[in-house]
Amino acid sequence: MSLSVDVRDVTGGVTRQVSLDEHTFGIEPNVAVLHQVVVAQRAAARAGTQSTKTRAEVAGGGKKPFKQKGTGRARQGSERAPHFTGGGIALGPKPRSYKQRTPRKMINLALRSALSDRASEGRVAVVDAWPWTMPSTKDAKAAIAALGIEGRVLVVLAREDEEAYKSFRNLPEVQVILAGELNAYDVLCNDWILFSAATLPGTAAGDAEPVALSPKPEPAAATAEASEPSEPAEEES
């Protein structure tokens, strides 16, 4: 399956066409991996700082409330037990980490699945470059309208696109992200994914910051040559 998308300028004019990488934008989405990776990402975002005090941590309770025998009441050793008002909390939450271990291959597969889903719906747009030399929210809004994009938009920028970042960040329907931080959850949360030619995965410029593609293995011949020890040079007599 061959995928291609128009590369346009900020005024909406088509400058050329580019083929999307089939390994990144043309796979069958793996829903199970997408679900697992998104759940892990949302879990890792939890602060995990909730905390309650046990009976050993609340103040007071050093004195026995009343004597052991002769009162007709149940024996008590501390007024800070969980069943007393002001006592400690039994089995309450404590600070913890909710992070889940997710293999890198699964993260890459989930990202490629999310991008392929948006590409199959024709919701991947590419601009040639961001030409602004000064931040302008008005120009950013006009560019979104000229590109014919509606709904929530994920704008993928390079680190040097500072003016574009400052232009888009005030638009409520736009989420700005760096190419190296692209992830499946943010792709699924937005209706459109807007790349520049420099951040499009699968191209020479977009691979400068690898986000969706796995590292390519080294050729076997080069590996074999690197592993063979070099023979020492013979000394002339």
Side-chain angles (χ1 to χ4, degrees):
M1 180 178 60
S2 177
L3 297 173
S4 62
V5 64
D6 293 332
V7 179
R8 294 180 283 180
D9 54 26
V10 293
T11 62
V14 178
T15 59
R16 55 193 171 92
Q17 273 197 339
V18 65
S19 295
L20 299 178
D21 180 35
E22 295 184 7
H23 181 65
T24 305
F25 294 93
I27 69 170
E28 182 69 24
N30 192 319
V31 179
V33 171
L34 264 175
H35 177 267
Q36 183 173 342
V37 170
V38 168
V39 168
Q41 184 175 344
R42 297 295 295 157
R46 297 182 64 177
T49 55
Q50 71 277 36
S51 180
T52 55
K53 291 185 177 182
T54 65
R55 60 182 298 172
E57 297 169 328
V58 293
K63 178 183 177 182
K64 191 174 176 65
F66 44 82
K67 63 181 183 178
Q68 182 85 346
K69 297 180 179 293
T71 63
R73 302 174 63 185
R75 55 193 178 185
Q76 304 294 337
S78 172
E79 60 184 8
R80 290 298 176 255
H83 57 280
F84 277 100
T85 301
I89 303 299
L91 306 176
K94 284 291 186 181
R96 55 164 292 190
S97 172
Y98 290 91
K99 291 183 179 180
Q100 303 176 18
R101 181 185 176 277
T102 309
R104 186 180 297 273
K105 288 185 178 180
M106 290 183 61
I107 296 176
N108 287 338
L109 177 58
L111 176 56
R112 291 189 289 115
S113 297
L115 291 174
S116 297
D117 179 72
R118 290 295 177 263
S120 65
E121 298 176 350
R123 294 184 176 271
V124 174
V126 182
V127 296
D128 201 8
W130 303 110
W132 306 314
T133 57
M134 292 291 292
S136 174
T137 303
K138 180 180 179 181
D139 291 344
K141 188 173 183 179
I144 293 292
L147 293 171
I149 296 176
E150 297 180 352
R152 290 195 53 83
V153 186
L154 179 65
V155 180
V156 184
L157 300 176
R159 290 190 178 276
E160 57 270 17
D161 295 329
E162 184 175 355
E163 289 76 15
Y165 168 75
K166 292 180 178 179
S167 301
F168 282 111
R169 64 182 178 181
N170 289 330
L171 297 176
E173 70 277 6
V174 175
Q175 178 184 353
V176 184
I177 193 171
L178 292 177
E181 299 173 354
L182 190 62
N183 59 87
Y185 177 73
D186 288 327
V187 171
L188 295 176
C189 284
N190 292 274
D191 302 314
W192 281 83
I193 315 300
L194 179 56
F195 294 98
S196 65
T199 60
L200 182 64
T203 60
D207 287 345
E209 294 178 89
V211 292
L213 302 180
S214 302
K216 298 180 179 179
E218 297 181 359
T223 308
E225 291 177 3
S227 61
E228 293 180 358
S230 58
E231 296 182 359
E234 297 182 358
E235 297 181 358
E236 297 182 359
S237 58

